[in-house]
Amino acid sequence: MRISELSHVSGVPVATIKYYIREGLLPAGQPVTRTLADYREQHVHRLRLIRALIEVGELSVAATSEIMRKLDEPGAVMHDVLGAAHHALAGPARRDDSQDADEFTTAQRVVDDLVAARHWAVSSTAPARRRLARAIATLREFGLASDSNSLAPYAAAAETLAAHEVNTVPAGPRDVAAWHVVLGTVLYEPVLTALRLLAQEAASARRFGAAEGT
Amino acid sequence: MRISELSHVSGVPVATIKYYIREGLLPAGQPVTRTLADYREQHVHRLRLIRALIEVGELSVAATSEIMRKLDEPGAVMHDVLGAAHHALAGPARRDDSQDADEFTTAQRVVDDLVAARHWAVSSTAPARRRLARAIATLREFGLASDSNSLAPYAAAAETLAAHEVNTVPAGPRDVAAWHVVLGTVLYEPVLTALRLLAQEAASARRFGAAEGT
């Protein structure tokens, strides 16, 4: 198909498609003439994945490009593709500057305790450790419960979900499985956070709803 | 204390404090002279809550103001304070424009099915319903499992967590309880999403780690 049709099918403007090709996120089309190129179904799939990561996962073009490179590596094992996606999703620090170094160290110890208590095999450099430590330091800053015991219910819920998610990744070709891992990591997060809000409202109605009048 | 000390203690610049007072987020200080006002501990607490909502919860000033108004309403019941926080956190639609109306209606039916299946008492106008429907429509767009059964593990995890969260809200004065509800809703979300990434890495290591070589 022509680039105009690719744009129509994928919902991505032609200028953006050309930008993605220049940045190496998308392979160039097969040249037909000096000014025309032919695009295939694989371009449509790739563009959908890029849109999901950028529009839904709110990843930068650079971070998305990093994941695409890992996906295209012939020898990359699945665990590394997942690692690349996590690395990008856990993202750069946002509140590190405003947080006290001692407080951050204390929060990192809580993360270590949690990971050890659940017997999770997690790389010591996993960016999600930093992300969790930042969230815990913020809890501490506001005086909310943040020790390893208080967070155990969250860890237990995350563990049950993650086991389910990883076990339902299709066993087929590596690129299909990788596609599921990357997309699933990004797209089920808003499902989980929205469900938490709905479940909170239901729990609040039970505890505070009709009974409370003051 | 003077406004300069309030700024120092809370970490919020003087100009921002004045802006919050003008916008009605923070009560004005007690006038001492024509140009000086006295601020109390309650201003420090309120500023911390405002910072949490704006910096951590990424709420707009308008949305934060809405929650403050509800918190200050003498007759507001806890369930309504929680509702105001949820209303703000579930936020305005981001991807509605790009989503097909039929797809969105189908997604809304999945939300209704999920809420009914869990016997959750949730307002029909809860913004989190819309947020969940958007997330489900995106799953459908990318061909990921999104029916009521596939999402049941997420709903179950959310329900267990929410019951724990609502039951640990302190029973004390209404404003302390409200403070916990609002902050907890915002601040434990990044804890949960970071833990999901760590748990996924651990689950991936078990399934794909050492065994996979291709």
Side-chain angles (χ1 to χ4, degrees):
Chain A
M1 69 188 85
R2 301 276 168 88
I3 196 166
S4 56
E5 194 185 342
L6 177 63
S7 167
H8 180 74
V9 171
S10 64
V12 178
V14 169
T16 309
I17 294 176
K18 288 182 173 173
Y19 171 64
Y20 290 159
I21 292 173
R22 280 199 307 277
E23 293 295 316
L25 274 72
L26 189 71
Q30 187 71 29
V32 177
T33 68
R34 205 170 54 83
T35 55
L36 277 183
D38 185 44
Y39 295 87
R40 303 296 172 87
E41 204 53 36
Q42 74 180 85
H43 288 94
V44 178
H45 289 305
R46 174 59 69 96
L47 271 176
R48 293 192 144 185
L49 180 54
I50 293 170
R51 271 189 59 203
L53 291 167
I54 292 177
E55 293 177 22
V56 187
E58 300 187 340
L59 296 191
S60 66
V61 169
T64 304
S65 166
E66 198 64 42
I67 298 177
M68 294 303 120
R69 253 200 300 280
K70 184 60 75 178
L71 261 175
D72 293 338
E73 252 177 46
V77 296
M78 180 63 66
H79 189 56
D80 292 338
V81 173
L82 180 63
H86 277 171
H87 209 287
L89 291 169
R94 185 154 47 93
R95 275 172 55 77
D96 278 12
D97 292 348
S98 66
Q99 283 175 348
D100 185 79
D102 286 351
E103 285 293 314
F104 193 71
T105 306
T106 306
Q108 284 180 307
R109 264 202 302 274
V110 177
V111 174
D112 293 344
D113 287 353
L114 267 172
V115 169
R118 312 295 311 184
H119 305 288
W120 287 347
V122 173
S123 151
S124 62
T125 60
R129 281 182 182 266
R130 224 178 149 68
R131 184 166 146 179
L132 179 58
R134 283 201 307 278
I136 290 173
T138 306
L139 289 177
R140 290 176 56 82
E141 190 182 334
F142 288 96
L144 292 179
S146 60
D147 58 302
S148 176
N149 274 344
S150 307
L151 300 181
Y154 295 89
E159 185 175 295
T160 306
L161 265 188
H164 167 77
E165 290 176 315
V166 169
N167 288 332
T168 52
V169 167
R174 199 183 62 86
D175 57 339
V176 172
W179 197 87
H180 268 86
V181 167
V182 171
L183 265 187
T185 299
V186 176
L187 297 187
Y188 286 100
E189 184 176 300
V191 169
L192 178 59
T193 55
L195 279 167
R196 173 173 170 253
L197 292 180
L198 291 174
Q200 278 187 347
E201 181 173 335
S204 163
R206 270 199 307 277
R207 181 168 169 197
F208 299 116
E212 192 199 50
T214 54
Chain B
M1 69 189 84
R2 302 275 168 87
I3 197 167
S4 56
E5 195 184 340
L6 177 63
S7 167
H8 181 74
V9 172
S10 65
V12 178
V14 169
T16 308
I17 293 176
K18 289 182 173 174
Y19 170 64
Y20 290 160
I21 292 173
R22 280 200 307 277
E23 294 295 317
L25 274 72
L26 189 70
Q30 187 71 28
V32 178
T33 69
R34 205 171 55 83
T35 55
L36 278 184
D38 185 44
Y39 295 87
R40 303 295 172 87
E41 204 54 34
Q42 73 180 84
H43 289 93
V44 178
H45 289 306
R46 174 59 69 95
L47 271 176
R48 289 192 148 184
L49 180 53
I50 293 170
R51 270 189 60 203
L53 291 168
I54 291 177
E55 294 178 20
V56 186
E58 301 187 337
L59 296 192
S60 67
V61 169
T64 304
S65 168
E66 198 64 44
I67 297 176
M68 295 304 120
R69 253 202 298 281
K70 186 57 78 180
L71 260 175
D72 292 339
E73 250 175 47
V77 298
M78 179 63 66
H79 188 57
D80 292 338
V81 173
L82 180 64
H86 278 171
H87 208 285
L89 291 168
R94 187 154 46 93
R95 275 174 54 79
D96 279 12
D97 291 350
S98 66
Q99 284 175 346
D100 186 78
D102 286 350
E103 285 293 316
F104 194 70
T105 306
T106 305
Q108 283 180 309
R109 265 203 300 275
V110 176
V111 175
D112 292 344
D113 287 352
L114 267 171
V115 168
R118 314 294 312 183
H119 305 288
W120 286 348
V122 174
S123 150
S124 63
T125 59
R129 281 182 182 265
R130 226 181 145 68
R131 185 167 145 177
L132 179 57
R134 284 202 305 278
I136 290 173
T138 306
L139 289 177
R140 290 176 55 82
E141 190 182 334
F142 288 97
L144 291 180
S146 61
D147 58 303
S148 176
N149 273 345
S150 306
L151 300 181
Y154 295 88
E159 184 176 294
T160 306
L161 266 188
H164 167 76
E165 291 176 316
V166 169
N167 288 332
T168 52
V169 167
R174 199 182 63 86
D175 58 340
V176 172
W179 196 86
H180 268 86
V181 166
V182 170
L183 266 187
T185 299
V186 176
L187 297 186
Y188 286 100
E189 183 175 302
V191 169
L192 178 60
T193 54
L195 279 166
R196 173 172 169 253
L197 292 180
L198 291 174
Q200 277 187 347
E201 180 173 336
S204 161
R206 272 198 307 277
R207 180 166 172 199
F208 299 115
E212 191 198 51
T214 53

